[in-house]
Amino acid sequence: MSRLNPYWLWALLALPPAFWSYEALTSDNARIIHILVHPTGEWAARLLILTLMATPLVMLFKGWRGPQWLKKNRRYLGVAAFGYAALHTLFYVLDKGSVDTVLSEFTRFYIWTGWVAFAIFVPLAVTSMDYFMRLMGPRWKALQRWTYAAAVLTLLHWAALHNWGHPLGAIVHFAPLAALEAYRVWYWMNKRRMRRTVTATP
């Protein structure tokens, strides 16, 4: 299965941000920017999770077309996750109203984890093109592995909101990814053990 045509895939991925931006510009609700901070962040996390689930799903469901499609299109989804995260960050800054307020909150755990996750996202998104993959060679994959650090920070950022008062949403969203990654580790460890056994057999 080939990659989905990027033009209408991007159009599909752009629909929620377009709607949110329209709401932000036209709504009479004085708190609309504050309201939109949360869904933009949640959808950034969901797309990040979906991107990272691609490889373990292919390993688990060998030959199935859905996971294969997801793996072939994961870079599009990863860049879209960055776009949603950027919109989330913009709405957060606008909601706070001033740089001083943003800086005063930076040391809070649930804030700085989000900022660091976003900082990791930036070089990953910038180097997502085929040009950088060819230019960087093996270093490209090494850089892209930082996605996992961004995912952990995103989980902590989400779970720690409201003084850890409502971590269940973050846990429910990230639990399938954690389970798949645990399966992935088990799969490679088991494969390595079998290779050693075969090699040791006289």
Side-chain angles (χ1 to χ4, degrees):
M1 184 184 295
S2 60
R3 289 182 183 178
L4 195 61
N5 185 295
Y7 294 107
W8 73 267
L9 176 57
W10 279 121
L12 184 64
L13 290 169
L15 284 177
F19 172 74
W20 292 325
S21 299
Y22 176 78
E23 268 201 312
L25 291 170
T26 61
S27 177
D28 294 331
N29 188 339
R31 288 175 51 82
I32 188 62
I33 298 295
H34 177 76
I35 292 168
L36 291 174
V37 170
H38 300 288
T40 50
E42 288 177 5
W43 274 100
R46 287 168 188 152
L47 286 169
L48 174 61
I49 292 166
L50 198 58
T51 302
L52 291 174
M53 287 173 70
T55 297
L57 281 174
V58 168
M59 294 166 63
L60 185 60
F61 301 106
K62 295 179 178 65
W64 284 36
R65 298 179 72 186
Q68 291 289 346
W69 177 89
L70 190 62
K71 187 175 180 179
K72 289 174 180 176
N73 291 278
R74 62 185 170 182
R75 268 195 289 164
Y76 294 143
L77 298 173
V79 173
F82 168 75
Y84 279 64
L87 193 60
H88 171 66
T89 304
L90 174 63
F91 283 152
Y92 165 74
V93 172
L94 291 175
D95 180 51
K96 294 305 168 184
S98 71
V99 174
D100 288 341
T101 305
V102 171
L103 292 176
S104 69
E105 292 187 351
F106 185 80
T107 55
R108 297 177 187 178
F109 182 81
Y110 70 92
I111 296 295
W112 71 255
T113 48
W115 278 111
V116 175
F118 183 69
I120 293 172
F121 260 133
V122 174
L124 297 178
V126 170
T127 59
S128 64
M129 295 178 289
D130 290 336
Y131 167 77
F132 285 103
M133 186 186 294
R134 293 190 298 269
L135 180 68
M136 297 176 67
R139 292 175 298 166
W140 186 85
K141 269 197 171 181
L143 176 63
Q144 293 299 314
R145 289 193 185 101
W146 280 89
T147 309
Y148 294 98
V152 172
L153 288 164
T154 300
L155 167 61
L156 294 172
H157 168 65
W158 189 351
L161 289 173
H162 312 297
N163 295 318
W164 300 89
H166 305 284
L168 187 60
I171 293 169
V172 167
H173 277 80
F174 278 88
L177 175 60
L180 284 169
E181 288 299 333
Y183 165 77
R184 186 180 184 182
V185 171
W186 171 86
Y187 176 89
W188 286 115
M189 288 179 65
N190 190 54
K191 196 168 185 178
R192 202 171 292 174
R193 192 181 305 116
M194 289 176 65
R195 282 177 182 168
R196 284 200 299 266
T197 303
V198 170
T199 304
T201 302

